[in-house]
Amino acid sequence: VIIQSFLSALSVVYLVYMLTQTAYFFSAFQGLLPEGYEQSITDYVHRGFFEMCAIAAINLVILFVTMVLVRKVEGRIPRLTQALGTFLCLFTILLIGTALAKMFLYIDLYGMTRLRMITSSFMIFLVLVFLAVGIRIWKRKFPYMKMVVLAFCAVGLTVSFCDIDTTIARYNLHAYQSGQLETIDINDLERLSDGAIPYLIELLDDPDTEVAARAHNALVNKLFSHFEVVCDCDEAACPCDQQSLYQWNESGQEPAPTVLTQRIDGCTTSVELRPRSNASDLRGYNASRQQ
């Protein structure tokens, strides 16, 4: 009786809260921002995510305690307790759905990042967890922990094998080229792994000269992270090894000479790209041919 009374009161509170905050909860499904968040979508998304995490954690603990402590009738949980527990599961899944909708709206407006993609994957995993718990409430012998472990492995392996950095770069480039994104953050692309390089190369022909210049400089930075310039000239301080030399000038109107055709300040010999020996990067370490 105590457990059922507590679950009933909690369910009423959740129901009233949802009905009184309809615009806040469901506006993201329509691609709209609720009143007060028009200029602060970041706060809207962050608040929705952390509220969801808190309520999901609380409900998960309540459901586990309920299944352990409630008095069973012939090995089964009472029907009313099952119904109330199912409502908590469905409410939490709905809350996770609203948080996902907010995240997708955020991605539509500002592009995809590692954090946004991993956060979305975590919320999908939570949906599967509450589905497993909901089934366990009605099916006493259902192996819900196995389903949780399998869901964790499935989501984790999917994120790992989809090449997350390449997926992010591809999505952001296509969204930018289609006009969905007004601008593209080159710094974010540069922070990705080398899977973003083909998409940075595509941006070299972008009509926006600033975007093209930033893409060029990002590629130069990535090149110099793996290679160093070696020149055979006798100059004590050959300018060819200066990374800034190969980047666009500040005006963004003229590209700097490329690494392979460099001839500057009396240096008439061809330069060479020599792989860096970088023990912290297995690819760079192997490329150095020292091992």
Side-chain angles (χ1 to χ4, degrees):
V1 172
I2 294 174
I3 290 175
Q4 290 178 351
S5 300
F6 174 76
L7 292 179
S8 299
L10 184 62
S11 299
V12 170
V13 170
Y14 281 158
L15 189 60
V16 171
Y17 178 58
M18 183 175 62
L19 293 176
T20 57
Q21 300 290 327
T22 303
Y24 172 73
F25 276 113
F26 300 108
S27 60
F29 288 106
Q30 302 173 349
L32 302 174
L33 292 175
E35 184 178 355
Y37 289 94
E38 293 84 357
Q39 305 298 326
S40 183
I41 184 175
T42 302
D43 293 340
Y44 177 58
V45 175
H46 288 177
R47 178 181 174 183
F49 174 74
F50 289 114
E51 283 179 350
M52 180 275 298
C53 287
I55 294 177
I58 292 171
N59 288 351
L60 198 59
V61 171
I62 290 174
L63 289 169
F64 275 116
V65 171
T66 296
M67 288 189 290
V68 171
L69 298 182
V70 71
R71 182 177 298 175
K72 313 297 192 297
V73 179
E74 296 180 356
R76 294 182 178 275
I77 297 175
R79 294 293 184 184
L80 179 57
T81 305
Q82 287 179 321
L84 293 171
T86 302
F87 173 80
L88 288 186
C89 289
L90 293 176
F91 173 81
T92 308
I93 291 174
L94 177 62
L95 193 63
I96 296 171
T98 61
L100 268 172
K102 295 172 186 177
M103 183 60 69
F104 292 156
L105 177 61
Y106 197 25
I107 291 173
D108 287 341
L109 293 176
Y110 295 103
M112 186 182 294
T113 63
R114 283 180 186 157
L115 181 60
R116 294 166 197 169
M117 190 171 183
I118 293 174
T119 301
S120 300
S121 302
F122 171 71
M123 288 189 280
I124 293 173
F125 166 69
L126 281 183
V127 169
L128 298 176
V129 169
F130 278 93
L131 283 176
V133 174
I135 297 173
R136 173 64 177 80
I137 291 174
W138 293 91
K139 301 292 184 180
R140 184 168 57 91
K141 295 184 179 181
F142 177 73
Y144 67 99
M145 284 306 300
K146 288 184 179 180
M147 181 175 172
V148 170
V149 173
L150 288 175
F152 177 80
C153 293
V155 173
L157 289 174
T158 300
V159 172
S160 299
F161 281 102
C162 76
D163 190 356
I164 185 171
D165 285 356
T166 301
T167 301
I168 292 169
R170 183 190 303 116
Y171 174 87
N172 288 343
L173 177 64
H174 291 171
Y176 172 68
Q177 291 178 336
S178 65
Q180 177 181 329
L181 294 177
E182 295 182 1
T183 60
I184 185 167
D185 194 330
I186 303 298
N187 291 331
D188 280 344
L189 293 181
E190 183 180 344
R191 284 191 287 266
L192 299 175
S193 67
D194 291 347
I197 288 178
Y199 305 98
L200 286 169
I201 292 175
E202 283 193 47
L203 290 171
L204 294 178
D205 298 325
D206 193 84
D208 189 331
T209 57
E210 183 178 355
V211 171
R214 289 179 179 273
H216 174 92
N217 291 347
L219 287 167
V220 170
N221 292 335
K222 281 188 171 293
L223 183 67
F224 274 77
S225 68
H226 293 296
F227 295 90
E228 58 184 345
V229 176
V230 179
C231 182
D232 295 332
C233 71
D234 296 330
E235 294 288 336
C238 179
C240 292
D241 61 353
Q242 298 176 12
Q243 181 173 347
S244 60
L245 193 65
Y246 305 99
Q247 296 181 334
W248 286 57
N249 58 23
E250 294 182 0
S251 66
Q253 299 299 318
E254 296 293 337
T258 59
V259 172
L260 297 180
T261 59
Q262 182 64 38
R263 295 177 184 275
I264 291 181
D265 294 339
C267 176
T268 59
T269 59
S270 298
V271 299
E272 174 190 356
L273 293 178
R274 180 176 298 173
R276 293 182 182 273
S277 176
N278 185 356
S280 64
D281 187 335
L282 187 61
R283 293 167 301 180
Y285 185 73
N286 287 338
S288 69
R289 299 183 181 180
Q290 292 184 3
Q291 191 75 6

